[in-house]
């Protein structure tokens, strides 16, 4: 399936070691968004904005030199893999990111695909696909 890259924001819009929430879905669907994560060395990752253990909002997580720390239970999550360290070892969904000339792009087709079975059932019930919004 070919990628369809959509400009989401500029790299400078996310401070080094910071995060940004990107909404997904329609307002009434209340789907988790995407957490864009910028490391201190300017790598950018996109994760489903939901902690694999508790459902906490990862875009509110503290990011240090390495892993992020979930705001609800302080477990660490590697932004490159979306996985927690021991003892939990759960993972959240990762999304493709393209960084070009200081701009961050996400693949719309990948983002609009349901992130879970519950989302797939919801989309099938209402006959709609999630919608990704860009904020530039």
């Amino acid at each position: 399936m070919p990628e369809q890259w959509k400009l989401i924001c500029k790299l400078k819009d996310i401070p080094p070691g910071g995060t940004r929430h990107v909404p997904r879905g329609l307002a009434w669907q209340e789907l988790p968004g995407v957490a864009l994560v910028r490391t201190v060395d300017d790598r950018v990752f996109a994760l489903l904005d939901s902690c694999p253990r508790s459902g906490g909002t990862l875009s509110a997580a503290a990011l240090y030199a390495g892993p992020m720390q979930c705001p609800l239970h302080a477990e660490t999550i590697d932004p490159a893999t979306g996985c927690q360290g021991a003892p939990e070892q759960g993972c959240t969904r990762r999304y493709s990111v393209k960084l070009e000339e200081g701009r961050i792009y996400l693949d719309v087709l990948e983002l609009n695909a349901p992130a879970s079975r519950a989302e797939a059932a919801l989309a099938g019930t209402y006959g709609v696909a999630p919608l990704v919004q860009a904020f530039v």
Side-chain angles (χ1 to χ4, degrees):
M1 176 182 300
E3 294 121 349
Q4 291 186 358
W5 297 105
K6 180 164 182 104
L7 176 63
I8 300 299
C9 65
K10 296 177 182 175
L11 182 64
K12 68 179 182 179
D13 294 335
I14 305 172
T19 60
R20 180 173 186 158
H21 175 78
V22 178
R24 292 177 60 242
L26 304 171
W28 53 267
Q29 287 179 308
E30 298 180 18
L31 300 177
V34 172
L36 278 181
V37 180
R38 178 182 177 187
T39 63
V40 293
D41 60 352
D42 290 336
R43 293 180 299 145
V44 179
F45 301 100
L47 304 171
L48 186 66
D49 199 4
S50 180
C51 174
R53 175 179 174 193
S54 62
T57 306
L58 295 180
S59 59
L63 183 65
Y64 300 104
M68 354 177 22
Q69 192 171 40
C70 176
L72 293 182
H73 64 280
E75 293 278 342
T76 59
I77 299 168
D78 181 350
T81 65
C83 294
Q84 289 180 285
E88 293 300 322
Q89 309 246 342
C91 295
T92 193
R93 183 175 178 164
R94 294 179 308 147
Y95 295 93
S96 301
V97 177
K98 182 167 76 168
L99 182 60
E100 270 185 3
E101 299 178 9
R103 293 182 177 92
I104 300 171
Y105 298 85
L106 297 177
D107 181 359
V108 175
L109 296 177
E110 187 180 275
L111 288 170
N112 285 342
S116 66
R117 287 186 211 162
E119 278 188 26
L122 180 65
T125 300
Y126 293 101
V128 297
L131 170 70
V132 175
Q133 300 173 352
F135 296 96
V136 182

